């Protein structure tokens, strides 16, 4: 398959490289901003699950680059991910897991007593292909992002996060309605129609009376009935729906587009610093397959290669 094949099949992948974005996902945030003016007047933002940094580039381009040197001192953007990412002007990187409370504390410390006006989260778990499981894991990640937001968003602030429309999404919608006056499901045109991916866009953050910021996942498991009652006033809540908003543009992410005569192949703007499956690669480095059986070598045990060399030398 030639280098141009993916450029034909994925118009947003091609456009991202042409326009200098690290990831095609940058268009999803750009399209959300086009639809909701999410970044208007914002100077303090958090990008959760940010690597390789497409969304952070958008934040930098809209919030940092257009401002004067004096104004830039008041711009605060923090990008959080378990993977490392190459630096971006005006963006502070925090390498951390968003499901940990220590990460929420580190973000609070970064803002030094101020609060953020916007939290965005494009977090995605490693996909298994099992829609129910992937949807469940995605919902857990979104709830972690929402939990962090309850600590650091200012009243009236906004939130955008990735969801997979799946069996348990209603519970997540209910949680969002608990904290925001306005919430909808948004489908950018850069997100394929064939994908269950969508984004929740929530405006007008409002801390419910008597709610103390906490990990919402833990809260749900420790006192599910209380959490449900707080949210709905009922013991068993009805299925929750949110209004659906779609972004329209000249390109369809599911279509292939021919390359015209001016087409020039571009390399990726910034390759990821760590491969997505780095941890698995490390763990399976010492695994060999012999006669249809697996040989798992534990840390510290010699690899198959070393064993072979040892045999040669003895
Ligand atoms: C789709 S990518 C984000 C792309 C990014 N918005 C961009 O435009 O470049 C999803 C990211 O979620 C991160 N992630 C998944 N679970 C996480 C967690 N628990 N804490 C922090 N990052 C996480 C992954 O490391 C991955 O970099």
């Amino acid at each position: 398959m030639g280098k141009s094949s993916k450029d034909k099949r994925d118009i947003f992948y091609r456009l991202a490289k042409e326009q200098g974005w690290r990831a095609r996902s940058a268009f999803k945030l750009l399209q959300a901003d086009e639809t909701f003016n999410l970044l208007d007047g914002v100077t303090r933002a958090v990008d959760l699950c940010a690597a390789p940094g497409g969304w952070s580039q958008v934040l930098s381009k809209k919030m940092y680059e257009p401002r004067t040197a004096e104004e830039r001192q008041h711009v605060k953007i923090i990008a959080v991910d378990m993977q490392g990412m190459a630096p971006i002007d005006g963006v502070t990187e925090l390498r951390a897991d968003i499901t940990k409370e220590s990460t929420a504390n580190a973000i609070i410390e970064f803002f030094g007593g101020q609060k953020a006006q916007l939290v965005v989260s494009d977090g995605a778990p490693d996909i298994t292909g099992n829609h129910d499981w992937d949807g469940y894991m995605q919902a857990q990640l979104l709830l972690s992002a929402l939990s962090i937001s309850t600590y650091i968003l200012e009243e009236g602030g906004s939130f955008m996060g990735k969801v997979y429309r799946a069996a348990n999404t209603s519970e997540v919608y209910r949680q969002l309605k608990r904290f925001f006056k306005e919430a909808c499901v948004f489908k950018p045109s850069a997100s394929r129609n064939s994908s269950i991916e969508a984004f929740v866009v929530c405006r007008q953050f409002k801390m419910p009376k008597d709610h103390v910021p906490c990990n919402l996942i833990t809260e749900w498991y420790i006192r599910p009935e209380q959490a449900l009652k707080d949210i709905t006033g009922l013991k068993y809540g009805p299925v929750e729906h949110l209004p659906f908003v779609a972004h329209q543009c000249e390109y369809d992410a599911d279509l292939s587009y021919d390359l015209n005569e001016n087409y020039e192949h571009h390399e990726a703007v910034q390759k990821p610093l760590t491969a997505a499956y780095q941890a698995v690669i490390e763990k399976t480095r010492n695994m060999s397959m012999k006669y249809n059986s697996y040989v798992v070598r534990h840390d510290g045990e010699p690899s198959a290669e070393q064993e072979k060399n040892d045999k040669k030398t003895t």
Side-chain angles (χ1 to χ4, degrees):
M1 220 185 294
K3 275 182 168 182
S4 59
S5 163
K6 193 165 179 201
D7 283 351
K8 262 192 210 172
R9 279 184 289 113
D10 190 339
I11 182 70
F12 288 102
Y13 168 77
R14 190 192 334 163
L15 290 174
K17 291 188 297 168
E18 285 171 8
Q19 295 178 18
W21 302 111
R22 290 176 181 190
R24 68 189 292 295
S25 51
F27 290 107
K28 299 172 189 172
L29 183 56
L30 286 167
Q31 291 168 356
D33 185 41
E34 202 179 301
T35 310
F36 302 98
N37 298 322
L38 269 186
L39 302 174
D40 276 11
V42 171
T43 53
R44 297 184 302 281
V46 183
D47 183 6
L48 297 173
C49 303
W55 282 24
S56 290
Q57 276 185 296
V58 173
L59 296 178
S60 171
K61 192 144 225 93
K62 299 262 175 176
M63 293 169 53
Y64 183 79
E65 281 182 23
R67 293 195 155 90
T68 63
E70 159 80 32
E71 287 168 343
R72 283 179 179 183
Q73 289 177 15
H74 304 287
V75 173
K76 285 189 170 173
I77 307 169
I78 186 165
V80 187
D81 203 292
M82 292 193 295
Q83 319 262 0
M85 61 186 233
I88 297 171
D89 281 349
V91 177
T92 299
E93 188 194 336
L94 172 67
R95 199 153 174 190
D97 180 347
I98 70 156
T99 62
K100 300 225 161 104
E101 199 173 337
S102 54
T103 305
N105 290 333
I107 300 172
I108 292 167
E109 202 179 310
F110 170 77
F111 283 103
Q114 286 184 300
K115 291 210 160 182
Q117 296 146 310
L118 174 70
V119 176
V120 292
S121 174
D122 191 22
D126 290 340
I127 298 297
T128 64
N130 177 328
H131 282 192
D132 284 345
W133 176 254
D134 292 340
Y136 172 79
M137 293 305 288
Q138 180 63 37
Q140 300 299 297
L141 216 50
L142 188 79
L143 282 179
S144 295
L146 180 62
S147 303
I148 289 183
S149 305
T150 61
Y151 286 90
I152 46 160
L153 252 190
E154 69 177 22
E155 290 273 322
S158 308
F159 174 80
M160 171 170 169
K162 185 176 2 229
V163 280
Y164 289 157
R165 287 163 297 154
N168 62 341
T169 325
S170 177
E171 300 304 332
V172 176
Y173 294 167
R174 196 168 288 140
Q175 288 278 12
L176 293 168
K177 284 181 115 174
R178 182 184 184 191
F179 294 99
F180 293 91
K181 282 194 195 151
E182 295 167 17
C184 71
V185 175
F186 175 62
K187 185 76 175 171
S189 27
S191 176
R192 292 182 186 83
N193 275 328
S194 49
S195 154
I196 55 170
E197 173 192 85
F199 295 84
V200 286
V201 175
C202 307
R203 316 297 300 265
Q204 297 291 323
F205 175 72
K206 178 122 189 61
M207 185 66 87
K209 199 169 154 281
D210 300 331
H211 179 79
V212 179
C214 64
N215 180 335
L216 296 168
I217 299 172
T218 319
E219 180 198 45
W220 188 263
Y221 289 116
I222 293 176
R223 41 179 210 116
E225 285 176 8
Q226 186 58 42
L228 195 58
K229 196 160 153 279
D230 281 357
I231 302 167
T232 62
L234 302 167
K235 196 165 177 197
Y236 300 103
V239 172
E240 200 66 66
H241 297 285
L242 294 182
F244 187 85
V245 178
H247 177 271
Q248 233 188 344
C249 85
E250 58 187 303
Y251 298 115
D252 182 334
D254 284 289
L255 293 184
S256 285
Y257 288 85
D258 283 336
L259 306 170
N260 66 27
E261 67 277 10
N262 301 325
Y263 166 77
E264 214 184 296
H265 176 77
H266 292 263
E267 290 299 325
V269 172
Q270 170 70 54
K271 294 225 166 85
L273 293 186
T274 33
Y277 299 104
Q278 193 73 38
V280 177
I281 292 168
E282 296 296 333
K283 280 194 185 133
T284 53
R285 181 155 297 174
N286 281 343
M287 193 185 270
S288 71
M289 253 209 286
K290 229 180 195 176
Y291 309 120
N292 290 335
S293 63
Y294 289 104
V295 179
V296 178
R297 292 167 199 277
H298 301 282
D299 291 347
E301 287 179 3
S303 65
E305 191 76 7
Q306 279 168 325
E307 238 176 31
K308 225 160 101 191
N309 287 339
D310 288 350
K311 268 193 193 145
K312 268 191 208 156
T313 51
T314 50

PDB file of all heavy atoms in Angstrom, residues 119-131:
ATOM      1  N   VAL A 119     -12.499  22.898  30.419  1.00  0.00           N
ATOM      2  CA  VAL A 119     -11.803  21.606  30.505  1.00  0.00           C
ATOM      3  C   VAL A 119     -12.215  20.800  29.279  1.00  0.00           C
ATOM      4  O   VAL A 119     -13.414  20.682  28.993  1.00  0.00           O
ATOM      5  CB  VAL A 119     -12.191  20.819  31.784  1.00  0.00           C
ATOM      6  CG1 VAL A 119     -11.516  19.448  31.788  1.00  0.00           C
ATOM      7  CG2 VAL A 119     -11.804  21.592  33.043  1.00  0.00           C
ATOM      8  N   VAL A 120     -11.224  20.281  28.545  1.00  0.00           N
ATOM      9  CA  VAL A 120     -11.551  19.406  27.416  1.00  0.00           C
ATOM     10  C   VAL A 120     -10.880  18.061  27.649  1.00  0.00           C
ATOM     11  O   VAL A 120      -9.811  17.998  28.253  1.00  0.00           O
ATOM     12  CB  VAL A 120     -11.100  20.010  26.057  1.00  0.00           C
ATOM     13  CG1 VAL A 120     -11.923  21.235  25.704  1.00  0.00           C
ATOM     14  CG2 VAL A 120      -9.618  20.331  26.037  1.00  0.00           C
ATOM     15  N   SER A 121     -11.518  17.003  27.184  1.00  0.00           N
ATOM     16  CA  SER A 121     -10.956  15.667  27.371  1.00  0.00           C
ATOM     17  C   SER A 121     -11.257  14.797  26.162  1.00  0.00           C
ATOM     18  O   SER A 121     -12.418  14.558  25.839  1.00  0.00           O
ATOM     19  CB  SER A 121     -11.548  15.025  28.625  1.00  0.00           C
ATOM     20  OG  SER A 121     -11.107  13.690  28.715  1.00  0.00           O
ATOM     21  N   ASP A 122     -10.203  14.350  25.508  1.00  0.00           N
ATOM     22  CA  ASP A 122     -10.358  13.479  24.331  1.00  0.00           C
ATOM     23  C   ASP A 122      -9.889  12.072  24.680  1.00  0.00           C
ATOM     24  O   ASP A 122      -9.461  11.315  23.823  1.00  0.00           O
ATOM     25  CB  ASP A 122      -9.506  14.079  23.188  1.00  0.00           C
ATOM     26  CG  ASP A 122      -9.782  13.434  21.843  1.00  0.00           C
ATOM     27  OD1 ASP A 122     -10.870  12.849  21.670  1.00  0.00           O
ATOM     28  OD2 ASP A 122      -8.910  13.513  20.960  1.00  0.00           O
ATOM     29  N   GLY A 123      -9.943  11.753  25.965  1.00  0.00           N
ATOM     30  CA  GLY A 123      -9.397  10.492  26.460  1.00  0.00           C
ATOM     31  C   GLY A 123     -10.040   9.280  25.830  1.00  0.00           C
ATOM     32  O   GLY A 123     -11.256   9.233  25.637  1.00  0.00           O
ATOM     33  N   ALA A 124      -9.197   8.314  25.499  1.00  0.00           N
ATOM     34  CA  ALA A 124      -9.711   7.076  24.928  1.00  0.00           C
ATOM     35  C   ALA A 124      -8.945   5.912  25.524  1.00  0.00           C
ATOM     36  O   ALA A 124      -7.722   5.955  25.594  1.00  0.00           O
ATOM     37  CB  ALA A 124      -9.532   7.097  23.420  1.00  0.00           C
ATOM     38  N   PRO A 125      -9.661   4.854  25.959  1.00  0.00           N
ATOM     39  CA  PRO A 125      -8.948   3.672  26.449  1.00  0.00           C
ATOM     40  C   PRO A 125      -8.440   2.872  25.252  1.00  0.00           C
ATOM     41  O   PRO A 125      -8.834   3.148  24.115  1.00  0.00           O
ATOM     42  CB  PRO A 125     -10.053   2.898  27.186  1.00  0.00           C
ATOM     43  CG  PRO A 125     -11.314   3.288  26.489  1.00  0.00           C
ATOM     44  CD  PRO A 125     -11.121   4.682  25.959  1.00  0.00           C
ATOM     45  N   ASP A 126      -7.592   1.886  25.498  1.00  0.00           N
ATOM     46  CA  ASP A 126      -7.181   1.011  24.395  1.00  0.00           C
ATOM     47  C   ASP A 126      -8.411   0.235  23.934  1.00  0.00           C
ATOM     48  O   ASP A 126      -9.083  -0.412  24.737  1.00  0.00           O
ATOM     49  CB  ASP A 126      -6.088   0.041  24.864  1.00  0.00           C
ATOM     50  CG  ASP A 126      -4.784   0.778  25.112  1.00  0.00           C
ATOM     51  OD1 ASP A 126      -4.628   1.900  24.571  1.00  0.00           O
ATOM     52  OD2 ASP A 126      -3.935   0.245  25.847  1.00  0.00           O
ATOM     53  N   ILE A 127      -8.710   0.329  22.653  1.00  0.00           N
ATOM     54  CA  ILE A 127      -9.934  -0.282  22.120  1.00  0.00           C
ATOM     55  C   ILE A 127      -9.793  -1.805  22.013  1.00  0.00           C
ATOM     56  O   ILE A 127      -8.778  -2.303  21.539  1.00  0.00           O
ATOM     57  CB  ILE A 127     -10.218   0.300  20.701  1.00  0.00           C
ATOM     58  CG1 ILE A 127     -10.455   1.806  20.786  1.00  0.00           C
ATOM     59  CG2 ILE A 127     -11.392  -0.386  20.031  1.00  0.00           C
ATOM     60  CD1 ILE A 127     -11.668   2.184  21.591  1.00  0.00           C
ATOM     61  N   THR A 128     -10.843  -2.532  22.493  1.00  0.00           N
ATOM     62  CA  THR A 128     -10.805  -3.997  22.398  1.00  0.00           C
ATOM     63  C   THR A 128     -11.638  -4.499  21.219  1.00  0.00           C
ATOM     64  O   THR A 128     -11.490  -5.617  20.777  1.00  0.00           O
ATOM     65  CB  THR A 128     -11.405  -4.634  23.667  1.00  0.00           C
ATOM     66  OG1 THR A 128     -12.800  -4.254  23.734  1.00  0.00           O
ATOM     67  CG2 THR A 128     -10.694  -4.181  24.922  1.00  0.00           C
ATOM     68  N   GLY A 129     -12.570  -3.655  20.749  1.00  0.00           N
ATOM     69  CA  GLY A 129     -13.465  -4.094  19.676  1.00  0.00           C
ATOM     70  C   GLY A 129     -14.805  -4.547  20.253  1.00  0.00           C
ATOM     71  O   GLY A 129     -15.793  -4.673  19.534  1.00  0.00           O
ATOM     72  N   ASN A 130     -14.845  -4.805  21.556  1.00  0.00           N
ATOM     73  CA  ASN A 130     -16.111  -5.152  22.211  1.00  0.00           C
ATOM     74  C   ASN A 130     -16.787  -3.830  22.602  1.00  0.00           C
ATOM     75  O   ASN A 130     -16.347  -3.145  23.525  1.00  0.00           O
ATOM     76  CB  ASN A 130     -15.817  -6.008  23.448  1.00  0.00           C
ATOM     77  CG  ASN A 130     -17.077  -6.351  24.220  1.00  0.00           C
ATOM     78  OD1 ASN A 130     -18.042  -5.573  24.268  1.00  0.00           O
ATOM     79  ND2 ASN A 130     -17.091  -7.513  24.832  1.00  0.00           N
ATOM     80  N   HIS A 131     -17.856  -3.467  21.875  1.00  0.00           N
ATOM     81  CA  HIS A 131     -18.450  -2.145  22.034  1.00  0.00           C
ATOM     82  C   HIS A 131     -18.908  -1.867  23.452  1.00  0.00           C
ATOM     83  O   HIS A 131     -18.752  -0.751  23.956  1.00  0.00           O
ATOM     84  CB  HIS A 131     -19.622  -1.964  21.054  1.00  0.00           C
ATOM     85  CG  HIS A 131     -19.151  -1.669  19.664  1.00  0.00           C
ATOM     86  ND1 HIS A 131     -19.978  -1.226  18.660  1.00  0.00           N
ATOM     87  CD2 HIS A 131     -17.927  -1.746  19.115  1.00  0.00           C
ATOM     88  CE1 HIS A 131     -19.277  -1.046  17.570  1.00  0.00           C
ATOM     89  NE2 HIS A 131     -18.034  -1.369  17.812  1.00  0.00           N
TER      90      HIS A 131
END
